[in-house]
Amino acid sequence: MSVTMKDIAQELGVSIVTVSKVLRNHEDIGEETRKRVLKRVRELNYHPNLAARALVTGKSYTAGLIVPDLVHPFFAEVATGISRILRQKSYSLLISSSQEDPELEKQEIARLLSRRLDALLIASTQCTTAGFRPIVDQHIPFILLDRSFPDLRTNFVGIDDVKVGKIATTHLFSVGCRRIAHIRGVAVSTAIGRLEGYSQALTQHRLPTRHGYVVTGRSADSDSWSSGFQAMNQLLRLDPVPDGVFCYNDPIAIGAIDAILAAGLRVPQDIAVIGCGNLHFDKSLRVPLSSIDQQSVTIGERAAKLLLAIIKPKTPPRPRRVLIEPSVVVRDSTRRPG
Amino acid sequence: MSVTMKDIAQELGVSIVTVSKVLRNHEDIGEETRKRVLKRVRELNYHPNLAARALVTGKSYTAGLIVPDLVHPFFAEVATGISRILRQKSYSLLISSSQEDPELEKQEIARLLSRRLDALLIASTQCTTAGFRPIVDQHIPFILLDRSFPDLRTNFVGIDDVKVGKIATTHLFSVGCRRIAHIRGVAVSTAIGRLEGYSQALTQHRLPTRHGYVVTGRSADSDSWSSGFQAMNQLLRLDPVPDGVFCYNDPIAIGAIDAILAAGLRVPQDIAVIGCGNLHFDKSLRVPLSSIDQQSVTIGERAAKLLLAIIKPKTPPRPRRVLIEPSVVVRDSTRRPG
DNA sequence: CACGCTATAGTTAACGCTTAAGTAAACGTG
DNA sequence: CACGTTTACTTAAGCGTTAACTATAGCGTG
């Protein structure tokens, strides 16, 4: 079918091994032989069969990535960051989406495991850590992204979610909000961390914890908008009505803003809103949305670097936690006289 | 290292081939032996090494996808569609981003080729077809997505761009616009097709072709917003000013709307705007944006199905062109008394 | 009861590459 | 000039599978 080392070796009257060595820049090859081989390799546009190489070396030069949803810009950006770093080291990336379905995620883990990838990167939708057992059992290095599990000692790269909640809430405080509500996410680590940060900030600024001021966006990410819309309507029925809302993510925040506007109130004059994620269209929204930037590309890049680091050594080093710093991006939805 | 067929065979006192046959549901295996093997396979959580299998069968059960930009929702959705179909047939997807860089795209093609993938899917940023030569030479089935090349007879799946331009322009006409401008994209097939459709619609509705009414968004997709903003400013300096604008894509349209609003005009009362892509946040924009839906997920699904079809036969069937039907999604930016 | 048939296995050789070990020739050294 | 050393290669073995044969037993059949 396609050209092999054997073909090249026979044509040139050398052994297969000689060709192999030339291609891997092995030292003990004569200058002239090396040139002859390289010349023929170029002429035939030969590329070694990586499946064969993987079989004997045990390294596939491929990493696997499982995300809940490729369309979500956060994960798309993380993937882009990973891809950029891995490309430099000639690694490829097998991407698979779990569609926010824990069962599907487990299947994908199994599938990727049987490909003997060098490492796995997972932004998990699992609730428990049981699904990671097969990975641990097979001694495949892996890194969790974005969402972490307290009871699982493994590599993790993500944003410092407590800090996210803290700086978002503090920002609302600094623009004059005193009745700050929170539309939280479902019970994953990111939601818990941001809630924790929100609470810490309230305490720090000596604001009371009001009853009903924390509501949960009920549904999964795919339906964040309506989730935010409904949650905000719940908040609008409270007395006193909040004057600032920190939302778990941007789609929820957009839904919340739409609910506020639908109720005849103004953003940010009556209620200021801040989201999280800093989606790149935030500035073109009906009310340009203030947000917490999650440095998604950076998360991807750091994850990829960590991956390369843990692949190298024979015995994997002990798990590392990489926390990225969030930052506030101020737009109209919180821009009002302090 | 990890469990192999050999281990299982030895433990059970059968030959490796027997194990292999059981796993591939080969018929000539006794009921009892089959059960014994399957039992042990499950106990050990054994999964065959796909690299080894790929080496001998020549099929990697992996497809490659190259897109200009993973973060762009269109490509993310296409990838999701592809992924969904391929998953059902136990195929994996190696995704790689060319970052809108033709040179990088060529490198990625080379990289994917050396992995002996079963097929390639490419949404290309190339200007010429030269970059596809290596793929053709190696007889790897491949499918172009979204952007096509008139001088290359190959498989293609994408939207009917002429129709896109036609129905967008016709929609503007139907809401009362009589001076319809077009902010076109750079010289790829999609831009050309949409322009063609725009022209056809003008003719059909007996509208004059006005000088300067077609301007080009200069830059690449990554900077579409400012591109649309500037292009719209150009249109605003014309006399007469357009009363409707069909934009090559949604980010450009968002930029255009921002420019119109910045000039103190209203959307859609003074100028109606329609984009293309139907990004899922369109409804939450400052002015909710009418758009042409490109059925991106469907494009991905159809592409994946085509892929599975052309992989099967020994000799590849002749190239097919699959054109998806676009449709108008009406929102505020064109909602005005006809 | 020898025959071929069927069901159920096993044997052998490859897939394309890498790794380790081996070797022949040329070279330097005391 | 016998000895080790270096250079430049070759040979052999094997990575974990599968494809294509081959082998054996049990069985009905004419």
Side-chain angles (χ1 to χ4, degrees):
Chain A
M1 202 58 175
S2 58
V3 191
T4 70
M5 283 191 181
K6 196 171 162 190
D7 301 328
I8 296 182
Q10 281 175 348
E11 286 185 38
L12 266 47
V14 298
S15 78
I16 296 178
V17 178
T18 304
V19 179
S20 171
K21 282 181 175 171
V22 168
L23 287 167
R24 284 173 299 130
N25 289 315
H26 218 280
E27 52 187 7
D28 56 65
I29 295 294
E31 194 50 42
E32 201 200 340
T33 313
R34 175 186 306 278
K35 275 185 185 156
R36 282 206 309 147
V37 171
L38 286 179
K39 177 160 171 290
R40 201 75 194 106
V41 161
R42 257 193 304 274
E43 283 170 3
L44 294 175
N45 194 25
Y46 168 80
H47 292 272
N49 181 324
L50 295 186
R53 180 179 284 177
L55 185 58
V56 38
T57 61
K59 313 203 90 293
S60 61
Y61 268 76
T62 308
L65 170 66
I66 303 177
V67 295
D69 177 11
L70 255 183
V71 178
H72 195 305
F74 173 75
F75 297 116
E77 286 177 15
V78 168
T80 302
I82 294 171
S83 203
R84 165 147 71 231
I85 299 298
L86 292 190
R87 191 202 325 272
Q88 295 167 6
K89 304 289 179 185
S90 297
Y91 273 76
S92 292
L93 192 59
L94 212 47
I95 302 181
S96 146
S97 161
S98 65
Q99 312 283 11
E100 302 275 4
D101 176 352
E103 222 21 72
L104 209 52
E105 183 182 319
K106 280 185 200 164
Q107 283 175 32
E108 289 305 312
I109 288 177
R111 187 199 306 289
L112 295 187
L113 281 180
S114 75
R115 292 192 179 266
R116 304 295 191 278
L117 303 180
D118 295 343
L120 252 44
L121 297 149
I122 306 179
S124 182
T125 64
Q126 310 273 356
C127 302
T128 71
T129 61
F132 306 125
R133 273 310 295 277
I135 315 180
V136 176
D137 288 350
Q138 289 205 32
H139 305 290
I140 305 291
F142 79 110
I143 301 175
L144 288 181
L145 299 175
D146 189 43
R147 307 179 195 174
S148 71
F149 296 85
D151 59 331
L152 187 66
R153 287 200 65 234
T154 186
N155 298 286
F156 172 77
V157 179
I159 201 158
D160 185 336
D161 281 300
V162 175
K163 205 164 272 177
V164 167
K166 229 163 166 174
I167 67 178
T169 309
T170 297
H171 170 66
L172 289 173
F173 179 81
S174 75
V175 297
C177 300
R178 291 298 176 267
R179 301 185 305 280
I180 302 175
H182 176 38
I183 301 180
R184 58 165 294 184
V186 286
V188 292
S189 69
T190 49
I192 294 167
R194 289 171 202 178
L195 172 62
E196 169 66 20
Y198 161 79
S199 299
Q200 285 185 15
L202 288 189
T203 307
Q204 186 185 329
H205 301 300
R206 299 174 202 284
L207 294 178
T209 312
R210 293 173 196 266
H211 185 70
Y213 263 45
V214 173
V215 295
T216 306
R218 307 147 301 104
S219 66
D221 256 26
S222 54
D223 203 22
S224 293
W225 182 88
S226 67
S227 160
F229 192 89
Q230 294 191 16
M232 191 65 223
N233 278 331
Q234 234 174 291
L235 290 174
L236 288 171
R237 282 196 291 273
L238 295 177
D239 179 27
V241 165
D243 62 356
V245 183
F246 158 46
C247 300
Y248 172 65
N249 63 24
D250 284 349
I252 286 181
I254 294 168
I257 289 179
D258 288 351
I260 296 170
L261 298 180
L265 296 172
R266 298 161 304 165
V267 177
Q269 295 87 338
D270 298 314
I271 306 179
V273 176
I274 187 165
C276 178
N278 192 27
L279 302 185
H280 60 295
F281 55 84
D282 280 355
K283 66 173 183 300
S284 299
L285 295 173
R286 202 140 26 139
V287 180
L289 179 66
S290 296
S291 189
I292 304 299
D293 190 86
Q294 286 189 89
Q295 313 257 40
S296 27
V297 176
T298 306
I299 290 179
E301 290 175 345
R302 292 296 296 275
K305 284 175 184 164
L306 179 55
L307 185 154
L308 293 170
I310 62 177
I311 276 180
K312 282 249 182 60
K314 290 277 182 295
T315 52
R318 65 180 165 77
R320 266 184 273 173
R321 266 183 92 76
V322 179
L323 288 182
I324 310 289
E325 284 284 309
S327 63
V328 180
V329 178
V330 181
R331 298 199 185 86
D332 289 358
S333 73
T334 62
R335 199 169 275 142
R336 64 182 204 177
Chain B
M1 204 55 176
S2 56
V3 190
T4 71
M5 284 191 182
K6 198 171 161 190
D7 301 329
I8 296 181
Q10 282 176 347
E11 286 185 39
L12 265 45
V14 298
S15 80
I16 296 180
V17 178
T18 303
V19 178
S20 172
K21 283 178 177 171
V22 168
L23 288 167
R24 285 173 298 133
N25 289 315
H26 222 279
E27 54 185 8
D28 55 62
I29 294 294
E31 195 49 41
E32 200 200 344
T33 313
R34 177 186 304 279
K35 276 185 184 156
R36 280 207 309 149
V37 171
L38 286 178
K39 177 160 174 290
R40 199 79 192 105
V41 160
R42 257 193 305 274
E43 283 170 5
L44 294 174
N45 194 25
Y46 167 80
H47 291 273
N49 181 326
L50 294 186
R53 179 179 287 178
L55 184 58
V56 42
T57 61
K59 314 204 88 298
S60 62
Y61 269 75
T62 308
L65 169 67
I66 304 178
V67 293
D69 177 10
L70 252 183
V71 178
H72 195 304
F74 174 75
F75 297 115
E77 284 176 16
V78 169
T80 302
I82 295 172
S83 204
R84 167 148 67 228
I85 299 298
L86 292 190
R87 191 204 322 272
Q88 295 166 5
K89 304 287 178 186
S90 298
Y91 274 75
S92 293
L93 192 60
L94 213 47
I95 302 181
S96 145
S97 161
S98 65
Q99 312 283 9
E100 302 275 0
D101 176 352
E103 223 20 72
L104 209 52
E105 183 182 318
K106 280 185 201 164
Q107 284 175 31
E108 289 305 313
I109 288 177
R111 188 199 305 288
L112 295 187
L113 281 180
S114 74
R115 291 190 181 267
R116 305 293 191 279
L117 303 181
D118 295 342
L120 254 44
L121 297 149
I122 307 180
S124 183
T125 64
Q126 311 273 354
C127 302
T128 72
T129 62
F132 306 126
R133 272 311 296 275
I135 314 180
V136 177
D137 289 350
Q138 290 206 30
H139 306 289
I140 306 292
F142 80 111
I143 301 175
L144 288 181
L145 299 175
D146 188 44
R147 306 179 195 175
S148 70
F149 296 84
D151 59 331
L152 186 65
R153 286 200 64 233
T154 185
N155 298 287
F156 171 77
V157 179
I159 201 158
D160 185 337
D161 281 300
V162 175
K163 204 162 275 179
V164 167
K166 228 163 166 176
I167 67 177
T169 310
T170 297
H171 171 66
L172 289 173
F173 179 81
S174 75
V175 298
C177 300
R178 291 299 176 266
R179 302 184 304 279
I180 302 175
H182 176 37
I183 302 180
R184 57 166 294 184
V186 286
V188 291
S189 68
T190 48
I192 294 167
R194 290 172 202 177
L195 172 62
E196 169 65 19
Y198 160 80
S199 300
Q200 285 185 15
L202 288 190
T203 307
Q204 186 184 327
H205 301 300
R206 301 174 199 288
L207 295 177
T209 311
R210 294 171 195 267
H211 184 71
Y213 263 45
V214 173
V215 296
T216 305
R218 307 148 302 101
S219 64
D221 257 26
S222 55
D223 202 23
S224 293
W225 182 88
S226 65
S227 159
F229 191 88
Q230 293 190 18
M232 190 66 224
N233 278 330
Q234 233 173 292
L235 290 174
L236 288 171
R237 281 195 294 272
L238 295 177
D239 180 25
V241 165
D243 62 356
V245 184
F246 159 46
C247 301
Y248 172 65
N249 63 23
D250 284 347
I252 287 180
I254 294 169
I257 288 180
D258 288 353
I260 296 170
L261 298 180
L265 295 172
R266 296 162 306 164
V267 178
Q269 294 88 339
D270 298 315
I271 306 179
V273 177
I274 188 167
C276 179
N278 192 26
L279 302 185
H280 60 292
F281 55 85
D282 280 356
K283 66 174 185 297
S284 299
L285 296 172
R286 203 148 15 149
V287 180
L289 179 66
S290 296
S291 188
I292 304 298
D293 190 86
Q294 286 189 88
Q295 313 258 42
S296 25
V297 175
T298 306
I299 291 180
E301 291 175 345
R302 293 296 297 272
K305 283 173 185 167
L306 179 54
L307 185 152
L308 293 171
I310 62 178
I311 277 180
K312 281 249 182 64
K314 291 278 182 294
T315 52
R318 64 181 166 75
R320 266 184 272 173
R321 266 181 90 77
V322 178
L323 288 183
I324 310 289
E325 285 285 309
S327 62
V328 180
V329 178
V330 181
R331 298 199 186 87
D332 289 358
S333 71
T334 61
R335 198 168 275 146
R336 65 182 202 174

